[in-house]
Amino acid sequence: MAKRKKAPKLITPAMLRDSFDRRSMVVGVLQGGVGVLLATRMGYIALAESQKYQMMAESNRVNLSLIPPRRGWILDRDGQPIASNRADFRVDLIPDRVIEKEKTLEELAKVLGLDEIALQDVRDRLDKARGFQPVEAGSHLSWEQFAAISVRQPDMPGVVPQRSFSRYYPSGPCVGHLVGYVGAANAKDYEKEHNPLLITPGFKIGKDGLEKVYDQVLRGEPGARRTEVTASGKIVRDLETREDVPGKPIKLTVHAGLQEYASRRIGTESGACVVIDCLTGDILCFVSMPSFDPNSFTDGVGRLEWKMLSDDDHVPLRNKLLHGLYPPGSTVKPTVALAFLEAGLSPTASVNCSGGLRVGNRVFHCWNHHGHGSVDMAKGIYQSCDVYFYHFAQQIGMDQIAKTMRKIGYGQKFPMPFPSQSFGTVPDPAWKMKKYGKEWAIYDTVNATIGQGYVQVTPLQQAVIASRLASGKMLLPRLMHDDKIGTPASLDFPQEHLDLIHSAMNEMVNGRGTGARARIPIPGVQMAGKSGTAQVVGLNIGNGKGGLWRHRDHGHFICFAPFDKPRYACAVLVEHGGGSGAAMPIAKDVMTYMFDQQKAWDALAPLEAGWGGTPQQRQATKYRAYAAQYGVSAPAVQDSDEALARESEADARPTPQPIQSDAAPPAPEPIADDTPAPAPSPAPSATPSGTAGQHP
């Protein structure tokens, strides 16, 4: 039977109206709920979070920027600036904000007058910079240049013109190894210290030397500036400024005038000079030349300047004072003579010098192959007779000699405000056995007593040694003026022993010795000294006086004045100068400065005229020559900070010493000229003339 179909449901108009009304009610309720929620949220924003959104709106209208603090000055002992700040108009680039790099650089080059070399250096720095690390595009701008960049700023995103203070070193390369330099923080610096100040355009941190060691003291506190800006970033007006707090100054013991003079007096040589106050241990000059100009290092080293520095065989990036290790040559002989006296040797004990001494089956030669005749201790020092020291060193032994050397300052490391320093070698039988596993030989003693062989010393150590020989006290070098001065302990050398050494060193300069060219032209003041010539290569390669520069002998000179009332001690090193004859005139003029500054400057003027000017002028001339030769083709520097750090690390590594297997032939000393010895003078006063009121 078939199913009956179900009748369709009838929908009436009333039913449709009823359904529509129910849906309308649901939608209306939903709309009302949403409206209530929106109204509630709007009310919350308007009332509870009004301050938050007011600040956000304000930030769109107001720009807040940090003001780099002015760096604390570095002052000399008399308050003269060694490192200061000067007002500057500059332009920086923020890499992440620069949109069209080449177009921006071309526009900057037109306005700032950048040549191709300067423009390439900016490109190199931009390529190495990260994120918001600012890159300097130009400094020391004129007002017209600064205004022109400011007008174009809205059309050049990432370009930041500003008025600030830049670091300034009045003496340039004369203080490079003394104070170091500053530079912009890099990514590694920011990783160590997440401080927004580090990525503020114009802010610099200490990168080397005292600038780095005392960075937190010198840094200061930043200021802040609120400015009203348009949507495009153009400044409308300044709203509020909080001034920066300058860093604290630090004061050194050096005398700025002496520091500059000694640096310039070294001239075109590669050398070092230190002057120490024999009463306090204050370092009055701390010079290593040639050096770099810290003024040009503040914004990173350009490829051309880096090539110029790295090509220089005089190694301007090496601090010779702290990291240069050299055989002291005959400057060790006053200390060895003091060891003889300490061991009980009579100063009148003598030996005949015929030009050499046979020891075992070998002949050890004196520098004077003609011989010195009968030689006692005083003559052994002022004539620098090697045979005298060969003979008596065998009797005394190296252990006693090494003990006195360490006592006087050889092999010592001093409390200095630098990350590292070398401290040389004082060899003895125990040292050789520990280092090489070999027995001490007689030729080791012979070599050591004339300052050759394993003995190594820094120029700073030599200055301290000279000051201790002069004073008989355990003086320690002091560079920071605020460091406390303790009363130096006595070295416990009998005064008659010191007097004999002083007299012999005075005779070396002012009498029958080999140092006549070191006599200072100051009436009533005599300087005592000892020269030293340190052999670099064997006589089979060269005689140490000519030929290749790196084969020439080193020249040393240590001295103090006045000889009978020592006030100042000095050490001069000339690398590969051909012998001590290169160091003595420098020491003479530097010590002349201590007593008569004008006389010293008068002596320097004709020398600098022959050298091509001051260190800054010579560097500028050399840079122009490199620019003409290489232009932009010089190799790029991957990271100047790392490259400079590698140089410092290389300096700090000890120089390898080969095992000695024979006697080192002594280098010839300078022959005394025919200048008559000055007549004995009355004892000079402790305060030299010509420096009253500005006592260096």
Side-chain angles (χ1 to χ4, degrees), residues 472-512:
K473 296 179 180 179
M474 184 68 73
L475 288 171
L476 290 174
R478 185 178 76 132
L479 186 61
M480 307 309 296
H481 198 273
D482 292 337
D483 289 350
K484 293 182 180 180
I485 304 177
T487 302
S490 172
L491 290 170
D492 295 327
F493 292 130
Q495 188 59 46
E496 58 268 23
H497 292 179
L498 293 173
D499 289 344
L500 189 146
I501 301 299
H502 294 179
S503 177
M505 292 176 70
N506 178 58
E507 188 72 13
M508 187 266 174
V509 176
N510 301 297
R512 296 162 288 174

Side-chain angles (χ1 to χ4, degrees), residues 98-114:
V98 176
I99 298 176
E100 298 179 272
K101 185 176 79 170
E102 285 305 319
K103 182 179 179 181
T104 300
L105 291 178
E106 288 175 8
E107 188 67 21
L108 286 175
K110 290 178 184 177
V111 177
L112 303 181
L114 302 178

Side-chain angles (χ1 to χ4, degrees), residues 10 41 52 106 117 129 134 141 170 185 197 264 292 300 347 364 400 438 451 467 517 536 559 594:
L10 296 177
R41 179 60 180 167
K52 171 186 173 182
E106 288 175 8
I117 297 174
L141 309 183
L197 182 60
R264 292 169 62 175
F292 57 89
F364 294 83
Q400 175 63 45
K438 293 183 178 294
S467 71
R517 68 186 72 180
V536 176
C559 56
M594 306 306 299

